[in-house]
């Protein structure tokens, strides 16, 4: 007869039933389950990962919240308390003092105003495009299905730079914009502030609506519409009583996701808001950090986190509610395209115009700006490659073209080194999280890891970066101060990208049965041998996905790096931002084009590796 320790995991479940039927005492049963749960190293590894992610995710946020209610160094006199004492000084200063309007309430109003405008414009553009791509015979549907989601593949501030290049005026000094050089000086409201920020973010996030609403339209059974019309229902009745209620969850989900993204958006607001003191919560937070107001920064970061968490929890609730409205049937489900007739060409022109405004013109402007000495001068002698490969330039600090500048290659190396290593860590840890969540018999470990690795998705990047700055700015116990090193960027990026990697790992492990491992275990293979010879080779696709997705996201990311990077740890995004601050427009635009190319072609590579295509969800 086999001992308990020799039973396979699938046999242990049967053993559990038999022991419960024999009347085993509760304490003996608990002791048995404890021994079974900890017999394999899976539980031990799970416990170590609990400690790791508690430190990487929970501790930084707790430290940040603690900074909001503790007197910081340099504030003892103003707070009228000793350093380290509990205080409401920062809460009062941020929310109820004479300068709270500048610190919090005005940026909050600007943030909500921008988010509202972005949502309205995104829906106005995305909903008709989603319908055209999913339910019409518009020309070039397959091409547009991919082309119209390109804006989200690129960094949002790529388009902000193009806007500055076109509409910049001399309000902030520096080089002239194209329109100003042509004789038209754009007003401040068009060059900077709410209007351009709203338009750019709306074009950047419209693909959310196209994807989510397009997928809902594609799965919607058109027989429901036809049945209603056969029974005499008018078009308005069909739209508002059948189609709209069933598709409302997808629209609300897109709306909330866009809102949550706008709350933490930094790059566009920095480029187009700060020149005219148009602050949102993210830039107000950045200014507080720059002026070393760490207590105020903690309060602002906490507010951004709270708004982001509430928004995405509401979205999760809507996703659960939407399952009550499933209309996808079996073989009878139909999705018919509507003939546009006379409007077919008009619809195609509309889609092409959106693509030109959101992708074509911005990229063309950026490319041309890097090969022009004088903005908007299209004479042959004005074109040059000096800003790419030139030598002995007349600029003060940037004496060579960007491709010959050592700082660019150092930033590129830092990007590959930091983002690459962090992405590899995310991929491996994501696969381990998936293994522990699916295989571990210690339920609290599985539940904790599932939730804690998703938590960074609820926290906007700039707030998460401030939490890491709060934790690692000084030495705490045996952990030295990491600020100014590449390690803090690796740790922050690894934790920030875990929602993608862990979900890829969990999804993959749920599809892998236990039989291959149990067969190997019966032959005497240990856990490490089973992982390296069976699990990892079988799940190499999930490992690649869990590594590449964080890598692409990290390459175009700015919010984390702008807070945690220093000149010696500059990555491409922060290096381009420093060039912008020093008014090296052509060089900055060149670096952003390099980042955009890496992000775009990297996204295509991920799709090829994972055998997926975003356009498939649109019926292209």
């Amino acid at each position: 007869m086999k001992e308990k320790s020799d039973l396979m995991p699938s046999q242990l479940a049967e053993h559990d039933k038999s022991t419960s039927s024999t009347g085993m005492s509760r304490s003996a049963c608990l002791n048995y389950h404890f021994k079974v749960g900890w017999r394999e190293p899976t539980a031990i590894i799970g416990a170590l990962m609990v400690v790791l992610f508690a430190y990487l995710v929970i501790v930084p946020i707790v430290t940040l919240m603690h900074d909001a209610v503790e007197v910081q160094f340099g504030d003892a006199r103003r707070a009228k308390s000793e350093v380290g004492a509990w205080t409401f000084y920062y809460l009062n200063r941020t929310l109820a003092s004479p300068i709270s309007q500048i610190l919090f309430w005005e940026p909050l109003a600007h943030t909500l105003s921008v988010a509202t405008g972005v949502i309205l414009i995104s829906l106005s553009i995305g909903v008709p495009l989603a319908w055209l791509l999913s339910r019409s015979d518009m020309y070039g549907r397959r091409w547009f299905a991919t082309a119209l989601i390109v804006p989200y593949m690129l960094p949002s501030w790529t388009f902000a730079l193009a806007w500055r290049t076109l509409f910049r005026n001399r309000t902030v000094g520096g080089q002239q914009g194209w329109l100003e050089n042509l004789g038209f000086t754009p007003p401040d409201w068009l060059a900077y502030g709410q209007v351009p920020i709203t338009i750019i973010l709306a074009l950047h996030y419209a693909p959310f609506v196209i994807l989510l609403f397009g997928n809902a339209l594609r799965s919607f059974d058109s027989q429901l519409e036809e049945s209603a019309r056969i029974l005499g229902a008018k078009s308005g009745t069909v739209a508002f009583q059948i189609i709209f209620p069933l598709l409302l969850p997808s629209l609300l989900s897109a709306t909330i996701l866009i809102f949550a993204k706008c709350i933490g958006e930094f790059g566009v607001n920095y480029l187009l808001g700060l020149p005219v003191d148009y602050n949102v919560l993210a830039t107000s937070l950045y200014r507080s950090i720059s002026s070393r107001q760490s207590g105020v920064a903690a309060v602002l970061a906490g507010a951004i986190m709270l708004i982001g968490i509430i928004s995405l929890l509401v979205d999760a609730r809507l996703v659960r509610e939407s399952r009550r409205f499933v209309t996808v049937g079996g073989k009878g489900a139909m999705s018919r395209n509507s003939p546009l007739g006379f409007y077919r060409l008009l619809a195609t022109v509309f889609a092409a115009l959106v693509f030109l405004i959101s992708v074509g013109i911005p990229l063309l402007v950026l490319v041309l700006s890097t090969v022009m000495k004088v903005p908007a001068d299209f004479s042959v002698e004005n074109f040059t490659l000096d800003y790419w490969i030139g030598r002995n330039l007349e600029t003060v600090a940037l004496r060579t073209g960007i491709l010959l500048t050592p700082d660019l290659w150092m930033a590129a190396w830092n990007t590959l080194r930091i983002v690459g290593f962090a992405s590899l860590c995310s991929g491996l840890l994501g696969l381990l999280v998936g293994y522990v969540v699916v295989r571990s018999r210690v339920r609290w470990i599985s539940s904790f890891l599932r939730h804690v690795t998703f938590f960074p998705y609820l926290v906007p990047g700039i707030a998460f970066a401030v939490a890491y700055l709060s934790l690692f700015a000084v030495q705490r116990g045996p952990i030295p101060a990491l600020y100014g090193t590449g390690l803090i960027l690796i740790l922050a990026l690894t934790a920030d990208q875990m929602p993608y990697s862990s979900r890829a790992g969990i999804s993959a492990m749920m599809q892998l049965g236990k039989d291959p491992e149990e067969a190997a275990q019966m032959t005497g293979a240990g856990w490490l041998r089973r992982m390296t010879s069976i699990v990892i080779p079988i799940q190499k696709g999930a490992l690649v996905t869990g590594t590449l997705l964080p890598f692409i996201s990290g390459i175009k990311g700015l919010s984390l790096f702008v807070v945690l990077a220093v000149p010696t740890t500059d990555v491409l995004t922060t290096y381009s931002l420093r060039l912008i601050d020093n008014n090296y427009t052509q060089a900055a635009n060149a670096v952003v084009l390099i980042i955009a190319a890496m992000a775009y072609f990297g996204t295509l590579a991920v799709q090829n590796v994972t055998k997926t295509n975003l356009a498939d969800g649109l019926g292209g």
Side-chain angles (χ1 to χ4, degrees):
M1 184 176 179
K2 289 186 178 181
E3 297 293 333
K4 293 178 186 177
S5 59
D6 295 328
L7 295 177
M8 295 293 105
S10 59
Q11 296 171 315
L12 291 170
E14 297 297 327
H15 187 271
D16 292 346
K17 296 179 181 178
S18 63
T19 53
S20 60
S21 63
T22 59
M24 179 183 290
S25 67
R26 183 175 179 82
S27 60
C29 186
L30 289 174
N31 185 53
Y32 165 71
H33 280 292
F34 181 81
K35 290 181 178 179
V36 169
W38 290 90
R39 188 189 67 177
E40 282 289 304
T42 304
I44 298 175
I45 293 172
L48 293 175
M49 296 184 73
V50 165
V51 175
L52 174 65
F53 286 114
Y55 189 74
L56 292 182
V57 177
I58 296 177
V59 173
I61 293 174
V62 171
T63 304
L64 176 68
M65 295 299 97
H66 184 261
D67 285 350
V69 293
E70 181 185 66
V71 177
Q72 303 297 310
F73 180 78
D75 292 332
R77 182 178 176 183
R78 284 179 290 183
K80 299 179 181 179
S81 298
E82 296 181 357
V83 174
W86 289 90
T87 183
F88 290 106
Y89 169 73
Y90 301 113
L91 288 168
N92 180 72
R93 180 177 175 82
T94 306
L95 304 177
S97 72
I99 63 170
S100 63
Q101 187 72 18
I102 299 173
L103 288 176
F104 180 76
W105 296 112
E106 188 176 274
L108 175 62
H110 289 166
T111 301
L112 297 178
S113 179
V114 167
T116 302
V118 170
I119 289 168
L120 292 176
I121 297 175
S122 295
L123 292 178
S124 300
I125 296 173
V127 169
L129 284 175
W131 185 84
L132 289 172
L133 293 172
S134 303
R135 286 299 191 90
S136 79
D137 61 346
M138 181 184 73
Y139 294 113
R141 286 173 60 241
R142 183 170 182 80
W143 186 84
F144 280 117
T146 300
L148 290 173
I149 58 175
V150 169
Y152 192 68
M153 297 181 185
L154 306 177
S156 60
W157 43 285
T158 301
F159 313 112
L161 279 178
W163 189 282
R164 274 176 57 123
T165 302
L166 280 172
F167 294 98
R168 180 174 185 157
N169 58 35
R170 302 304 293 270
T171 298
V172 296
Q175 200 173 67
Q176 288 180 312
W178 280 24
L179 292 181
E180 190 173 36
N181 198 53
L182 292 173
F184 172 72
T185 301
D188 284 352
W189 64 265
L190 182 60
Y192 308 101
Q194 180 173 346
V195 171
I197 291 172
T198 302
I199 293 173
I200 289 168
L201 291 180
L203 293 173
H204 181 66
Y205 292 124
F208 269 19
V209 183
I210 295 174
L211 288 171
L212 293 174
F213 191 65
N215 287 337
L217 278 170
R218 187 166 179 258
S219 63
F220 182 80
D221 191 350
S222 60
Q223 291 182 96
L224 296 173
E225 304 172 59
E226 295 179 5
S227 299
R229 290 192 174 95
I230 290 173
L231 293 174
K234 297 181 179 179
S235 298
T237 303
V238 173
F240 290 101
Q241 294 191 16
I242 297 177
I243 300 176
F244 185 74
L246 292 175
L247 298 180
L248 182 60
S250 65
L251 278 178
L252 291 177
S253 182
T255 298
I256 293 172
L257 284 175
I258 292 171
F259 176 79
K261 292 289 185 180
C262 288
I263 294 298
E265 174 61 43
F266 173 77
V268 175
N269 292 302
Y270 179 85
L271 292 173
L272 298 176
L274 284 189
V276 290
D277 287 328
Y278 186 87
N279 280 300
V280 295
L281 287 176
T283 52
S284 181
L285 171 58
Y286 179 74
R287 280 190 163 183
S288 297
I289 297 169
S290 301
S291 59
R292 301 185 182 277
Q293 300 182 57
S294 55
V296 172
V299 176
L300 290 171
I304 294 173
M305 279 192 289
L306 182 61
I307 297 172
I309 289 171
I310 292 174
S311 301
L312 291 169
L313 289 179
V314 170
D315 177 64
R317 176 65 180 269
L318 289 175
V319 170
R320 288 196 298 270
E321 289 293 323
S322 67
R323 293 172 184 169
R324 298 166 51 192
F325 300 96
V326 175
T327 63
V328 181
K331 296 181 180 179
M334 299 176 62
S335 177
R336 293 179 178 172
N337 294 333
S338 301
L340 296 175
F342 171 77
Y343 297 102
R344 190 180 186 189
L345 181 60
L346 195 62
T348 307
V349 171
F350 170 64
L353 188 61
V354 172
F355 174 77
L356 283 175
I357 294 174
S358 62
V359 180
I361 293 175
L363 291 182
L364 179 62
V365 167
L366 289 180
V367 170
L368 290 177
S369 72
T370 64
V371 293
M372 284 182 172
K373 298 176 184 177
V374 178
D377 181 355
F378 295 94
S379 60
V380 176
E381 59 272 13
N382 188 51
F383 286 90
T384 178
L385 292 177
D386 284 352
Y387 298 110
W388 286 96
I389 56 174
R391 297 180 183 274
N392 300 318
L393 302 183
E394 296 179 358
T395 51
V396 176
L398 201 64
R399 303 293 296 172
T400 62
I402 196 66
L403 293 180
L404 302 180
T405 304
D407 289 346
L408 171 74
W409 296 107
M410 185 188 75
W413 166 242
N414 285 341
T415 301
L416 295 175
R417 175 175 60 92
I418 293 171
V419 178
F421 189 75
S423 302
L424 183 60
C425 290
S426 294
L428 291 171
L429 289 173
L431 189 61
L432 282 176
V433 167
Y435 186 88
V436 172
V437 167
V438 175
R439 294 287 192 264
S440 177
R441 294 173 58 84
V442 184
R443 292 183 178 179
W444 71 266
I445 289 181
S446 300
S447 179
F448 179 85
L449 287 177
R450 180 189 294 270
H451 290 92
V452 78
T453 53
F454 183 74
F455 190 76
Y457 186 77
L458 305 178
V459 181
I462 193 165
F464 199 66
V466 174
Y468 263 70
L469 183 64
S470 174
L471 177 62
F472 293 109
V474 297
Q475 181 173 349
R476 297 181 186 273
I479 307 297
L482 299 179
Y483 180 65
T485 68
L487 183 57
I488 190 175
L489 296 172
I490 292 172
L491 292 176
L493 190 59
T494 299
D496 186 60
Q497 299 300 324
M498 280 308 298
Y500 307 103
S501 298
S502 64
R503 264 44 197 177
I506 292 171
S507 177
M509 288 305 304
M510 290 180 70
Q511 300 175 30
L512 178 63
K514 298 180 180 179
D515 292 346
E517 289 182 80
E518 291 182 353
Q521 188 174 357
M522 292 179 67
T523 63
W527 181 84
L528 184 60
R529 178 66 182 275
R530 299 198 304 271
M531 283 294 295
T532 56
S533 301
I534 297 176
V535 176
I536 291 179
I538 293 176
Q539 300 295 7
K540 61 183 179 182
L543 179 60
V544 170
T545 302
T547 301
L548 286 180
L549 286 178
F551 183 74
I552 301 306
S553 179
I555 282 177
K556 64 179 185 177
L558 177 62
S559 297
L560 272 177
F561 295 116
V562 76
V563 173
L564 298 176
V566 297
T568 56
T569 57
D570 256 344
V571 291
L572 287 173
T573 50
T574 55
Y575 177 58
S576 65
L577 206 62
R578 296 186 197 280
L579 291 173
I580 293 167
D581 290 338
N582 291 316
N583 287 317
Y584 293 123
T585 303
Q586 290 93 341
N589 290 353
V591 175
V592 170
L593 285 172
I594 293 171
I595 298 170
M598 293 172 68
Y600 174 73
F601 290 109
T603 302
L604 295 183
V606 171
Q607 293 185 21
N608 290 332
V609 169
T610 59
K611 307 300 181 184
T612 59
N613 189 344
L614 292 175
D616 291 342
L618 298 172

